[in-house]
Amino acid sequence: MKNHQPTSAAAPIMDAAAIQRALKRIAHEIIEQNADLKSVVLAGIPLRGVEIARRIAEFVREIAKIDVGTGVIDVAMHRDDVGTRAQLPVVRASKLPVSLETRTLIVVDDVLFTGRTVRAALDAISSFGRPARVQLAALIDRGHRELPIRADYVGKNLPTAAREQIQVRLQETDGEPDAVWLLKE
Amino acid sequence: MNTRWSRKDLLGLRELSADEINFILETADAFKEIGTREIKKVPALRGKTLINFFIEPSTRTRTSFELAAFRLSADVINISASASSLTKGETLKDTARNLEALHADILVLRHSSAGAPQFLAERLKSSVINAGDGAHEHPTQGLLDLYTIREKRGKIANLHVVIVGDILFSRVARSNIFGLTKLGARVTLVGPSTLVPREFEKLGVTVSHKIEDVLPSADVMNLLRIQHERQRKEYFPGIGEYTALFGLTRERAKLLKPECLIMHPGPINRGVEIDSEVADGLQSVILDQVTNGLAVRMAVLYLCGGIAS
């Protein structure tokens, strides 16, 4: 994620209220789709996926009065492009429940794009164990998939050109007000 | 999110910045977690070839590098001095160029001559990792010591770290001195004046020849191995006298703060530089050092070997 600043005074695609509404709706959908909510673990992909997973878990608690598990699934060491880029991605420790066998693992990320990060996440998850099922939640689905991967829960579908960039900013991870920006190159 | 690392080689801690050292330690945190997984292996270096080229004997360091490479999915070949063509008169440079011609991506080198890793790093496209060169540096040992202190004490800055033993011949001591002083620790070297000359004070450390003086204020005691194989008679009269003057005996250990860590790079000479029951006591983190060495070496291999050439 490059550190571009928004180009002009243009309004963001989503503001803080819109992001919260989208995450609340995802929480409702997760409750609806998973009869056994106690088996659900929300595993965020660093950095922003972790914060988004935390917020969704909070909404689930508010709505259903059930604590769903949360975790971290880092994908940097499972990527398939190590050695082809001049700079390496920063690796972080993953944190998942010890036994995944009976759990529904929901992978959470900010932007779903090519699907390669999700592929790496699936690979990483398999080294921890074999979850009963794996689902995918993303705040933004911007299209341009390069792999047969789709999201189960989407905050906003955002058709983009490949050259455009989606920039998600969250107060907790970026120290800026919550917003989703569309940056044209 | 990109890294603060751009080196293909790790030759010593002297040339690294505090930020680079901290970055390796942070990366090692991530790799330490892999040891807790059901499947302790990630594909980060899949398709890369690592050659463990050990001109001097070593079990622990070589095994640690080998296991680190396995856990990163690299392919590993081990070459020892006796099995190499060096015994047939081939030069180090020619041997290394042949290894590179086999498309080795990472060369882990242990050599009796200081500077051998740098000599190769300047001539090869492969990454060169120094696994100990003469009395110069042993950077991954220095890093795993830093990592262990940081893990157990939560910080390194302002801690008083005492290194005892044969400093003059110790590459472990040098890497520790560079790393610790860069991260803001206070370092005292202890040993007989023949093995701990005052000249070391130029490196920003204190030299002491009386272990009792430093025990009460130590936050970390790092006992170096008395290297029988390197000792010559003139440096100290005998092992017994060394133990009597500088060994961390049960009696001396009572002078330490309860939270003081006891470290040793191994292999231990029980009853020489450290008493058996001190080495196995509650303050000892000697086996944590071994576990952490694996995570630190994974981090170093990932960072140096993952750079696009």
Side-chain angles (χ1 to χ4, degrees), chain B residues 167-187:
Chain B
I167 309 292
L168 190 60
F169 291 102
S170 173
R171 53 196 174 211
V172 174
R174 278 174 187 72
S175 289
N176 262 281
I177 292 166
F178 295 132
L180 287 165
T181 50
K182 279 173 204 275
L183 298 191
R186 189 157 69 82
V187 180

Side-chain angles (χ1 to χ4, degrees), chain A residues 1 47 74 76-78 80 82-94 98 101 123-124 126-129, chain B residues 1-3 5 23 26-27 29-31 33-34 37-39 41-46 48 302-303 306-308:
Chain A
M1 195 75 46
L47 288 170
D74 189 58
M77 47 185 115
H78 291 270
D80 55 12
V82 168
T84 63
R85 307 199 301 184
Q87 287 255 296
L88 281 169
V90 171
V91 292
R92 292 189 171 78
S94 294
V98 180
E101 266 57 28
D123 190 13
S126 69
S127 70
F128 283 89
Chain B
M1 191 63 57
N2 288 325
T3 59
W5 185 264
F23 186 68
E26 287 161 27
T27 304
D29 280 334
F31 284 111
E33 169 262 305
I34 291 173
R37 295 187 188 185
E38 209 168 279
I39 297 171
K41 198 174 171 103
V42 296
L45 292 184
R46 192 168 52 189
K48 301 258 182 189
Y302 173 77
L303 293 175
I307 298 269

